[in-house]
Amino acid sequence: SSAASDVYKRQLIDQLEKDIATLEEQTAKPDFYNKDYSETQPVLNELGEKQKALDTAAERWIELDEMKA
């Protein structure tokens, strides 16, 4: 059903936003960039991937919403 699908999408977007916030907290710490590349790069990569996934999910949801209208 469409309503269940909307709930799932909202949960997915909410989870991505939470994950991004957690990763941004890590990168905002004063000592984050003093750490070794092997520690910082995975966090930065994951942050980039989550932001891209969030953008894609949000764009897709908007497209689907417009199709319903």
Side-chain angles (χ1 to χ4, degrees):
S1 87
S2 180
S5 177
D6 285 351
V7 168
Y8 171 76
K9 287 180 207 139
R10 183 73 246 164
Q11 288 173 337
L12 174 66
I13 289 171
D14 286 348
Q15 186 59 55
L16 286 167
E17 288 173 341
K18 286 177 191 168
D19 292 347
I20 289 168
T22 299
L23 293 165
E24 285 176 339
E25 282 177 25
Q26 290 179 39
T27 63
K29 291 180 182 169
D31 68 335
F32 179 78
Y33 291 96
N34 295 333
K35 294 180 182 178
D36 191 77
Y37 178 85
S38 66
E39 288 183 59
T40 59
Q41 200 54 45
V43 175
L44 295 171
N45 288 346
E46 185 177 359
L47 179 56
E49 289 169 13
K50 297 275 185 181
Q51 287 172 327
K52 189 174 178 180
L54 177 60
D55 290 345
T56 301
E59 286 172 18
R60 185 69 181 131
W61 195 357
I62 290 166
E63 286 173 11
L64 293 172
D65 232 23
E66 289 171 352
M67 283 184 206
K68 288 183 200 172

